[in-house]
């Protein structure tokens, strides 16, 4: 009987311990905002035009116009005439070195264990390409001079499909060279446009971003805080879907306040130094830092991040969040803004010669 009582008591103890165990899970959400440029243009500069100069040897023909059309800087208006800034994209010759015949030997063994060597042949082309970009304004000031997009010194290779003899490989090369050259030119020029777009939008644009992120939420149904944690998560979910890059955050901030108040309360409830309490505080600091980041309040996010780092549970997250908040604060400062949520009406922008 004593053993039975002892076992029962032990099971009750284990059950109580499990009930208080803090099992945190990642709960995923998506959020959108408008990013700011790293090097903002003067405030009055709202339009741009594109010029693309391509070597005739690339064989692009009229497709040059299509490539120009694919250069898009979000948040600015593209014009056909003179914009506040002009993007000049220059693509030089595609140069091939002498083709080289290469052999690959495959070694295997037959049923008797004898070595069998089989040769395969291909033609390898080594080629180089150069592309660069300059940006200047309508007043004649150079903003960027000859930014390298492709360096002539970086050699690239293309290998034809393998054949059973050097003659077959050579014949394939001779018959297909023009097609191969055209395909390589198309791929390279498309890459140039992609790189130019990425750089221009990072430096000068206001691109809309949609990112995936997480909150840490208690997910142990036997823990006494489980219901409140799940409610906070559901409330957060219902508010964050209202957030978009084109509308101010006033309504979102108002509706998010009860979620913020809840995680603030958790920090005051779980104050001991044991691991379970530290985990509860960790989740609250982490979640509040993320919420403040997406509410464009980096100073408040840094406070939570620093508290997380001092909580003695995953200090690295605190440093990571502090860095993200500092970067956001710097971008807002450089762009003289207090929010990443605002409408951009490019149709209202006029070029400097209108």
């Amino acid at each position: 009987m004593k053993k039975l009582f002892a076992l029962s008591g032990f099971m009750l103890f284990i059950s109580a311990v499990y009930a208080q165990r803090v099992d945190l899970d990642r709960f995923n959400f998506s959020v959108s905002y408008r990013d700011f440029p790293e090097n903002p243009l003067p405030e009055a500069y709202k339009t741009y035009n594109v010029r693309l100069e391509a070597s005739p040897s690339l064989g692009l023909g009229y497709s040059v116009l299509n490539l120009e059309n694919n250069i898009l800087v979000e948040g600015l208006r593209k014009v056909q005439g003179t914009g506040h800034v002009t993007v000049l994209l220059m693509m030089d010759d595609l140069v091939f070195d002498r083709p080289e015949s290469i052999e690959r030997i495959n070694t295997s063994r037959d049923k008797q264990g004898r070595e069998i060597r089989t040769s395969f042949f291909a033609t390898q082309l080594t080629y180089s390409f150069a592309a660069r970009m300059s940006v200047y304004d309508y007043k004649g000031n150079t903003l960027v001079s000859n930014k390298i997009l492709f360096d002539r010194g970086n050699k690239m290779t293309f290998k034809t499909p393998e054949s059973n003899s050097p003659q077959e490989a050579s014949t394939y090369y001779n018959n297909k060279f023009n097609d191969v050259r055209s395909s390589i030119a198309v791929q390279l020029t498309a890459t140039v446009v992609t790189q130019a777009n990425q750089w221009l939008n990072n430096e000068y644009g206001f691109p809309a971003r949609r990112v995936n992120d997480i909150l840490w939420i208690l997910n142990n149904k036997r823990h006494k805080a489980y219901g409140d944690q799940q409610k906070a998560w559901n409330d957060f979910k219902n508010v964050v879907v209202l957030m978009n890059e084109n509308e101010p955050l006033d309504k979102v901030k108002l509706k998010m306040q009860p979620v913020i108040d809840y995680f603030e309360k958790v920090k005051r409830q779980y104050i001991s130094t044991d691991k379970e309490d530290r985990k509860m505080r960790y989740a609250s600091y982490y979640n509040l830092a993320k919420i403040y980041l997406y509410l464009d309040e980096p100073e408040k996010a840094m406070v939570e991040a620093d508290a997380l780092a001092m909580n003695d549970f995953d200090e690295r997250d605190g440093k990571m969040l502090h860095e993200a908040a500092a970067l956001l604060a710097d971008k807002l400062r450089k762009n003289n803004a207090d929010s990443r949520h605002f409408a951009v009406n490019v149709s209202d922008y006029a070029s400097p010669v209108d």
Side-chain angles (χ1 to χ4, degrees), residues 4-14:
L4 182 59
F5 280 126
L7 180 60
S8 298
F10 178 73
M11 294 303 294
L12 287 172
F13 171 76
I14 293 297

Side-chain angles (χ1 to χ4, degrees), residues 99-106 117-125 158-174:
E100 176 187 4
S101 179
I102 57 175
E103 178 183 9
R104 180 178 67 86
I105 299 175
N106 182 62
R117 294 165 63 88
T118 307
S119 292
F120 299 93
F121 300 89
T123 300
Q124 181 168 287
L125 300 170
F158 171 84
K159 189 175 73 171
T160 65
E162 292 182 329
S163 303
N164 293 324
S165 70
Q167 293 77 18
E168 288 182 22
S170 178
T171 299
Y172 180 93
Y173 165 74
N174 291 329

Side-chain angles (χ1 to χ4, degrees), residues 24-70:
L24 299 176
D25 281 346
R26 293 179 174 88
F27 281 61
N28 301 287
F29 66 94
S30 296
V31 66
S32 60
Y33 57 86
R34 191 171 299 283
D35 208 352
F36 282 112
E38 288 291 339
N39 291 298
L41 295 167
E43 188 174 353
Y45 285 24
K46 301 294 188 182
T47 65
Y48 70 102
N49 64 290
V50 177
R51 286 174 45 207
L52 196 155
E53 297 178 358
S55 168
S57 67
L58 291 173
L60 299 179
Y62 291 109
S63 64
V64 166
L65 295 176
N66 292 330
L67 291 174
E68 286 183 357
N69 292 335
N70 289 334

Side-chain angles (χ1 to χ4, degrees), residues 300-319:
K300 291 182 179 180
M302 279 188 266
V303 171
E304 301 299 330
D306 291 343
L308 188 157
M310 297 175 61
N311 187 50
D312 194 25
F313 188 88
D314 209 338
E315 178 183 354
R316 292 172 299 177
D317 278 350
K319 293 180 178 178

Side-chain angles (χ1 to χ4, degrees), residues 14-303:
I14 293 297
S15 178
V17 169
Y18 179 79
Q20 295 307 309
R21 194 172 70 187
V22 176
D23 295 327
L24 299 176
D25 281 346
R26 293 179 174 88
F27 281 61
N28 301 287
F29 66 94
S30 296
V31 66
S32 60
Y33 57 86
R34 191 171 299 283
D35 208 352
F36 282 112
E38 288 291 339
N39 291 298
L41 295 167
E43 188 174 353
Y45 285 24
K46 301 294 188 182
T47 65
Y48 70 102
N49 64 290
V50 177
R51 286 174 45 207
L52 196 155
E53 297 178 358
S55 168
S57 67
L58 291 173
L60 299 179
Y62 291 109
S63 64
V64 166
L65 295 176
N66 292 330
L67 291 174
E68 286 183 357
N69 292 335
N70 289 334
I71 301 293
L72 299 170
V73 185
E74 292 188 58
L76 301 179
R77 181 184 177 188
K78 190 173 188 178
V79 296
Q80 293 301 316
T82 300
H84 290 96
V85 296
T86 294
V87 177
L88 174 60
L89 200 57
M90 295 158 284
M91 295 187 286
D92 296 337
D93 292 312
L94 178 58
V95 177
F96 288 92
D97 295 345
R98 183 181 297 275
E100 176 187 4
S101 179
I102 57 175
E103 178 183 9
R104 180 178 67 86
I105 299 175
N106 182 62
T107 303
S108 60
R109 293 189 179 276
D110 62 16
K111 294 181 180 179
Q112 287 72 41
R114 292 173 298 193
E115 184 177 88
I116 301 174
R117 294 165 63 88
T118 307
S119 292
F120 299 93
F121 300 89
T123 300
Q124 181 168 287
L125 300 170
T126 300
Y127 60 94
S128 63
F129 176 60
R132 59 200 186 279
M133 178 171 60
S134 293
V135 182
Y136 50 92
D137 71 7
Y138 71 104
K139 297 177 181 178
N141 300 310
T142 299
L143 306 181
V144 176
S145 178
N146 290 321
K147 175 177 173 56
I148 300 298
L149 299 176
F150 266 92
D151 190 338
R152 178 71 70 188
N154 293 332
K155 300 288 186 175
M156 295 164 280
T157 59
F158 171 84
K159 189 175 73 171
T160 65
E162 292 182 329
S163 303
N164 293 324
S165 70
Q167 293 77 18
E168 288 182 22
S170 178
T171 299
Y172 180 93
Y173 165 74
N174 291 329
N175 291 338
K176 296 291 186 178
F177 174 71
N178 287 335
D179 292 340
V180 168
R181 182 189 184 96
S182 176
S183 175
I184 290 174
V186 168
Q187 293 175 23
L188 288 173
T189 53
T191 301
V192 168
V193 168
T194 297
Q195 292 180 349
N197 268 330
Q198 290 174 344
W199 190 86
L200 289 167
N201 277 281
N202 183 68
E203 294 295 302
Y204 308 128
F206 298 83
R209 307 286 192 200
R210 187 159 192 87
V211 299
N212 298 318
D213 212 330
I214 66 162
L215 295 187
W216 284 106
I217 302 295
L218 176 70
N219 206 20
N220 175 4
K221 292 183 179 181
R222 300 182 64 178
H223 194 286
K224 63 182 181 180
Y226 173 78
D228 290 338
Q229 287 269 315
Q230 296 297 313
K231 182 180 184 305
W233 163 248
N234 286 321
D235 289 346
F236 170 83
K237 241 185 351 180
N238 292 333
V239 175
V240 82
V241 296
L242 303 175
M243 186 183 296
N244 71 76
E245 67 276 10
N246 294 314
E247 296 182 7
L249 290 173
D250 299 349
K251 183 192 301 182
V252 173
K253 289 184 177 183
L254 185 63
K255 291 181 177 293
M256 190 68 78
Q257 193 57 50
V259 180
I260 294 172
D261 292 341
Y262 169 72
F263 286 118
E264 286 288 351
K265 183 177 73 171
V266 171
K267 292 190 306 186
R268 297 190 298 271
Q269 282 182 323
Y270 297 88
I271 58 175
S272 80
T273 57
D274 68 56
K275 183 178 179 180
E276 303 306 309
D277 276 20
R278 284 187 285 117
K279 287 174 71 174
M280 290 292 284
R281 291 198 301 273
Y282 160 82
S284 295
Y285 292 135
Y286 185 98
N287 294 344
L288 285 169
K290 282 289 177 72
I291 290 170
Y292 284 132
L293 275 173
Y294 292 121
L295 293 181
D296 295 336
E297 299 183 18
E299 290 77 15
K300 291 182 179 180
M302 279 188 266
V303 171

